[in-house]
Amino acid sequence: MLFENIAILDQNLDYLEGQFVATAADGTIAYVGPQAPADYEGETYDGAGKLLIPALYNAHAHAPMTLLRGYAENAPLQEWLNDLVWPYEAKMTPEDNYWATLLSCAEMARYGCVSFSDMYYHTPERAQAVAESGLKANLCTSPIAFEPKGIREFPIFAEMEEGAAKYHGSENGRIRFDACVHAEYTNNDVTTKSVVDWAKEKGLGMQIHLSETKSEVEECKQRHNGMSPVEWFNSLGAFDIPLTAAHCVWVDENDIRILAEKGVSVAHNPASNMKLASGFAPIAAMMDAGVNVCLGTDGMASNNNHDMFQDMYLAALLPKGNLLDPAVITPKQIFAAATRNGALAQGRTDCGLIKEGFRADLAVLDVTGPSWTPMTDPLCNLVYAGHGSDVVLTMCDGQVVYQDGTWPTIDLEQAKAQVIARHQRICGQLANPED
């Protein structure tokens, strides 16, 4: 496809008008410039009134939790998990995970997101949904292990082994597989260290939840001789491999120093953190220290949507209000967190920028609406006034996965109907456990 005479955010996230961007058959960006490329043959796209941006990267999600949208509400994290989420998840089948993941892919594509890091179960079904949708994902299986023994001794290890062998690098690299430990409070030293060692052996990245709540940090210190969750994971070698830590709400100056020195990516989830009353992650301090801060939506029981424009808006405003400093963070920093930083966290070094040779992961926004007028500062409009509904086209690896209300790769109505029916079945099982 050739995007003609379109405004773009270039590889430096600077705004340029009247540009031409061509994609190649191999799914890369073949040309970026102020004139049309010579001898181009292929589909063209009129860029009048449009803005072309690098597509968004969701650095922390639980895609099958689309089934729980609106189900687990108004509860603090531990009650939310123990009394609502985990009993529901115990009723979910592999097929439930497939349909819920497929619907999540449709929602993300609708809002300009092409890739997500997903921590859940039933990897084959999630991988199938991602493959069919045309999106990208870093999938991992989330072990919860209270008994102190090596990960190979738990039944879930078979799924982890299959994930690494069968799905890492599959679909021409669109699907990657990561190691995972759910959190410090749901695991132990022996199991966690064995997962870390397995990840090193397989050459995998890793995903974890980290320092999400104040009580998590305080209880960790009681269990581990005063060590914070950051110090505990670091002591087990987890930060010696590429790792994305979700949340990091309750991190202190020493924690931030460790995260920066070890090159840990932090997936900031502002909507989820506020909804569960977890607190306000110090992302300004992390950015100042050099931490790779990216953005995530988390699961739909704690957000309740995959519109990353909402998360950009919250991430941009919360530090200002929390620190009483209107200049503490910029729209460019937040947009980078939602794009290039997220791609780097996923190990996708050739993604997240509009740059020749990079993957053609692109989103087109209609910027003719009232909230975009005037265009005094395009990045300010994008972060403070933009909405996921402004997206009119989403492209992943050069393939259109959403355009003008249609999903070329997904039967949206079927996915919606399946999710509704499966949610109703699970709710019925929970309400009548003896049936």
Side-chain angles (χ1 to χ4, degrees):
M1 182 178 288
L2 174 65
F3 298 93
E4 298 182 309
N5 194 29
I6 194 167
I8 71 169
L9 292 179
D10 71 5
Q11 64 188 62
N12 300 311
L13 299 186
D14 292 328
Y15 177 76
L16 299 175
E17 294 183 334
Q19 299 296 297
F20 292 79
V21 178
T23 66
D26 65 357
T28 62
I29 297 171
Y31 173 84
V32 181
Q35 290 89 32
D39 302 322
Y40 176 81
E41 295 181 2
E43 184 180 357
T44 59
Y45 187 94
D46 182 5
K50 304 295 195 302
L51 172 63
L52 184 69
I53 65 172
L56 308 180
Y57 289 76
N58 186 345
H60 181 62
H62 307 283
M65 290 184 79
T66 291
L67 279 165
L68 286 87
R69 196 191 319 259
Y71 174 77
E73 300 289 334
N74 303 312
L77 179 63
Q78 292 306 318
E79 178 184 335
W80 178 83
L81 279 172
N82 293 317
D83 300 342
L84 297 168
V85 172
W86 285 341
Y88 188 107
E89 290 178 330
K91 303 292 185 183
M92 290 171 61
T93 67
E95 291 75 20
D96 294 338
N97 278 258
Y98 163 78
W99 287 109
T101 299
L102 193 65
L103 187 60
S104 283
C105 289
E107 186 179 1
M108 287 189 234
R110 171 64 185 90
Y111 296 135
C113 176
V114 296
S115 188
F116 59 103
S117 295
D118 200 57
M119 185 188 295
Y120 221 66
Y121 306 101
H122 302 301
T123 296
E125 288 72 24
R126 288 183 295 144
Q128 179 185 350
V130 174
E132 292 174 2
S133 73
L135 269 65
K136 302 176 181 179
N138 281 43
L139 304 176
C140 67
T141 298
S142 179
I144 294 175
F146 296 104
E147 188 177 354
K149 58 185 182 181
I151 190 63
R152 287 173 169 81
E153 298 182 51
F154 290 94
I156 199 171
F157 183 66
E159 183 178 332
M160 296 169 65
E161 279 275 83
E162 179 187 23
K166 187 173 181 180
Y167 300 109
H168 189 52
S170 65
E171 299 296 322
N172 294 318
R174 284 195 294 114
I175 297 177
R176 297 173 61 89
F177 190 81
D178 292 338
C180 176
V181 170
H182 176 267
E184 178 276 331
Y185 61 89
T186 51
N187 283 274
N188 60 83
D189 302 62
V190 175
T191 306
T192 300
K193 182 64 165 62
S194 68
V195 172
V196 170
D197 291 342
W198 177 74
K200 291 178 180 178
E201 173 191 323
K202 296 293 184 180
L204 303 176
M206 190 165 174
Q207 300 179 38
I208 63 172
H209 292 108
L210 186 65
S211 299
E212 184 173 359
T213 65
K214 185 177 182 180
S215 61
E216 173 189 338
V217 175
E218 292 174 344
E219 291 168 8
C220 175
K221 289 181 177 180
Q222 293 172 8
R223 283 189 290 267
H224 302 294
N225 299 315
M227 285 194 293
S228 69
V230 170
E231 293 170 322
W232 182 76
F233 273 108
N234 189 41
S235 73
L236 298 173
F239 298 161
D240 295 331
I241 56 179
L243 184 141
T244 298
H247 303 298
C248 294
V249 176
W250 293 91
V251 288
D252 61 20
E253 185 176 339
N254 183 59
D255 290 334
I256 293 173
R257 178 187 60 79
I258 294 171
L259 295 172
E261 289 179 355
K262 290 293 187 176
V264 175
S265 294
V266 170
H268 177 42
N269 301 265
S272 173
N273 294 157
M274 285 204 298
K275 188 181 180 195
L276 294 176
S278 298
F280 305 101
I283 62 167
M286 287 190 261
M287 288 179 174
D288 288 345
V291 175
N292 183 51
V293 175
C294 33
L295 286 185
T297 59
D298 211 347
M300 293 304 91
S302 61
N303 188 318
N304 297 24
N305 64 71
H306 282 302
D307 184 353
M308 286 186 65
F309 283 81
Q310 170 183 274
D311 291 280
M312 282 196 288
Y313 179 78
L314 293 173
L317 294 184
L318 286 175
K320 300 176 187 294
N322 190 34
L323 298 174
L324 304 180
D325 182 355
V328 72
I329 207 161
T330 68
K332 179 176 278 191
Q333 286 176 297
I334 294 301
F335 188 69
T339 53
R340 178 60 171 166
N341 295 6
L344 290 174
Q346 293 181 349
R348 302 180 187 277
T349 56
D350 59 349
C351 297
L353 296 173
I354 298 179
K355 182 177 180 180
E356 290 181 10
F358 272 47
R359 306 305 299 174
D361 296 344
L362 304 166
V364 178
L365 280 67
D366 182 342
V367 293
T368 60
S371 67
W372 286 87
T373 307
M375 189 83 81
T376 306
D377 184 324
L379 272 168
C380 286
N381 280 31
L382 184 67
V383 172
Y384 295 133
H387 304 279
S389 57
D390 295 324
V391 174
V392 293
L393 181 147
T394 304
M395 174 181 284
C396 182
D397 276 359
Q399 177 185 16
V400 174
V401 291
Y402 170 80
Q403 185 171 6
D404 297 326
T406 63
W407 286 259
T409 59
I410 298 172
D411 185 333
L412 181 66
E413 294 307 315
Q414 183 184 26
K416 287 164 57 179
Q418 287 282 351
V419 167
I420 290 170
R422 290 164 188 277
H423 173 68
Q424 291 173 342
R425 186 202 82 236
I426 294 171
C427 288
Q429 291 172 339
L430 292 167
N432 302 284
E434 296 181 359
D435 290 351

